[in-house]
């Protein structure tokens, strides 16, 4: 009986939070609000409501131990090239914004890399068009003081997603390989809150850390600051390619889910916009690389198609036609749960190759919902 009550209380709280968020959107960004209120119907029609996780550039001032974008950086490529592939310019950003807006998408996350070291960050925000999009930015907090936070709010950034990977100063700085980064994060928290930016923490959980006292202390701190915590479970990609020992399984996922009864902690499985769709890859999230490739998520390093060659909608619909990412499936996480068969069946096909790997090297014809061949 208590368990049923806990679930009911969580659903009620989630519903209240969603209502509050929508009321704020209606006042501050009516165009975004009009798109969001259509999401439930779009899902019923089998359409994507994807957040665009936009990897505008991979430049970064950190060298994090777990970096999932590690293999995308030029330093990882052979010396034979300076990487001459086409990459996003501001006109391309405007076109991405236009196509996404026409699809009824409403949320874009600027990431990389570390967005706040981009010299043209302000121009990127302008090209996206804050009147049409809810704009988030990932950050490690290093360059985020009070003046920068106020500036970000002024140019149309809505939310900052701060990366904090331990509540122990020494552990965090070692993990991020940047001495002083922990203290800069704490400074950034106060700066964002004073500027009126929405704020969440992002933190990586691996098997050893999941049930630690440090993680509970972390959540207590977040609770004291009124900041929610988005948990990213460790993935065997990037700098951790093939590191299966760091992966969590059903037990750890359930543990974090239970923590949500006491703390504002959530994962990509937490219903968004009041809609529960399980793993959000393609359905509620796609990653757009610097070079135009559209990936199912930041950790599934396969390309569904390239934005510079095909319309965004066509590429996303191609992803939805794969069984792994269709609305007919409700996985915990394809690449972050050691108990999911996807890891054994598909991940090895993405290893040891330039990323992202073309989808026809990862998926077979029978992996499509209708068994159709690649088009």
């Amino acid at each position: 009986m208590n368990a049923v009550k806990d679930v009911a209380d969580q659903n009620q709280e989630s519903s209240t939070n969603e209502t509050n968020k929508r009321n704020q959107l209606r006042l501050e960004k009516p165009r975004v609000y009009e798109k969001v209120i259509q999401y439930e119907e779009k899902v019923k029609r089998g359409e994507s409501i994807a957040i665009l996780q936009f990897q505008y550039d991979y430049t970064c001032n950190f060298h994090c131990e777990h970096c999932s974008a590690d293999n995308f950086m030029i330093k990882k490529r052979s010396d034979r090239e300076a990487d001459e592939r086409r990459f996003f310019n501001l006109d391309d950003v405007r076109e991405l914004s236009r196509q996404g807006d026409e699809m009824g998408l409403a949320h874009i996350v600027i990431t990389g890399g570390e967005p706040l070291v981009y010299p043209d960050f302000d121009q990127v925000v302008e090209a996206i068009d804050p009147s049409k999009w809810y704009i988030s930015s990932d950050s490690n907090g290093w360059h985020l003081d009070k003046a920068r936070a106020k500036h970000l709010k002024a140019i149309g950034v809505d939310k900052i997603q701060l990366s904090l990977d331990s509540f122990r100063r020494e552990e965090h700085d070692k993990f991020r390989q940047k001495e002083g980064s922990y203290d800069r994060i704490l400074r950034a928290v106060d700066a964002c809150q004073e500027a009126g930016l929405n704020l969440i923490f992002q933190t990586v959980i691996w098997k050893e850390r999941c049930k630690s006292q440090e993680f509970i202390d972390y959540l207590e701190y977040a609770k004291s600051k009124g900041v929610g915590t988005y948990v990213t479970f460790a993935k065997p990609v990037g700098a951790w390619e093939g590191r299966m020992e760091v992966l969590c399984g059903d037990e750890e996922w359930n543990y974090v889910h239970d923590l949500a009864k006491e703390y504002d902690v959530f994962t990509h499985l937490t219903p968004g916009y009041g809609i529960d769709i399980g793993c959000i890859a393609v359905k509620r999230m796609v990653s757009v690389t610097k070079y135009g490739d559209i990936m199912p998520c930041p950790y599934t390093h396969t390309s569904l198609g390239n934005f510079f060659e095909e319309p965004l909608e066509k590429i996303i619909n191609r992803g939805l036609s794969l069984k792994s990412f269709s609305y007919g499936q409700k996985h915990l996480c394809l690449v972050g749960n050691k108990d999911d068969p996807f890891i054994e069946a598909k991940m090895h096909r993405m290893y040891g190759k330039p990323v992202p790997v073309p989808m026809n090297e990862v998926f077979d014809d029978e992996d499509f919902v209708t068994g159709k061949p690649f088009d």
Side-chain angles (χ1 to χ4, degrees), residues 152-170:
L152 294 177
K153 179 69 173 178
I155 65 173
V157 175
D158 299 286
K159 182 166 72 173
I160 296 295
Q161 302 177 165
L162 278 176
S163 296
L164 178 63
D165 287 311
S166 176
F167 193 54
R168 309 283 189 261
R169 176 181 285 102
E170 296 78 9

Side-chain angles (χ1 to χ4, degrees), residues 5 20 47 89 116 142 147 181 221 227 239 248 290 323:
K5 184 178 184 299
N20 291 339
E47 299 174 13
N89 60 34
L116 298 191
W142 189 264
S181 61
Y221 167 71
V227 178
C248 296
K290 174 180 178 176
K323 294 175 184 177

Side-chain angles (χ1 to χ4, degrees), residues 164-169 171-172 182 203-206 208-221:
L164 178 63
D165 287 311
S166 176
F167 193 54
R168 309 283 189 261
R169 176 181 285 102
E171 291 179 2
H172 173 81
Y182 178 89
T203 197
V204 178
I205 290 293
W206 55 97
E208 183 180 359
R209 185 186 181 211
C210 186
K211 296 185 179 182
S212 68
Q213 182 60 45
E214 175 274 319
F215 184 45
I216 296 299
D217 293 342
Y218 181 117
L219 294 178
E220 287 288 350
Y221 167 71

Side-chain angles (χ1 to χ4, degrees), residues 74-87:
I74 291 178
K75 68 183 178 64
K76 282 288 183 178
R77 298 186 174 275
S78 70
D79 293 334
R80 74 183 185 278
E81 60 178 343
D83 208 322
E84 298 178 348
R85 291 177 297 165
R86 178 178 175 181
F87 55 86

Side-chain angles (χ1 to χ4, degrees), residues 124-144:
V124 172
V125 172
E126 181 182 20
I128 291 170
D129 191 346
S131 71
K132 296 178 181 177
W133 292 86
Y134 186 89
I135 301 176
S136 299
S137 179
D138 289 337
S139 181
N140 56 38
W142 189 264
H143 293 288
L144 193 46

Side-chain angles (χ1 to χ4, degrees), residues 11-47:
N11 288 341
Q12 178 62 42
E13 182 178 356
S14 176
S15 178
T16 300
N17 289 340
E18 182 63 26
T19 298
N20 291 339
K21 289 177 183 177
R22 292 192 182 194
N23 287 338
Q24 184 179 7
L25 271 182
R26 182 168 53 185
L27 292 172
E28 297 181 359
K29 293 197 170 185
R31 171 60 181 158
V32 176
Y33 170 77
E34 290 299 325
K35 289 189 283 187
V36 168
I37 62 174
Q38 299 298 319
Y39 274 5
E40 189 171 352
E41 290 302 315
K42 286 175 68 65
V43 169
K44 288 179 181 178
R45 295 194 297 267
E47 299 174 13

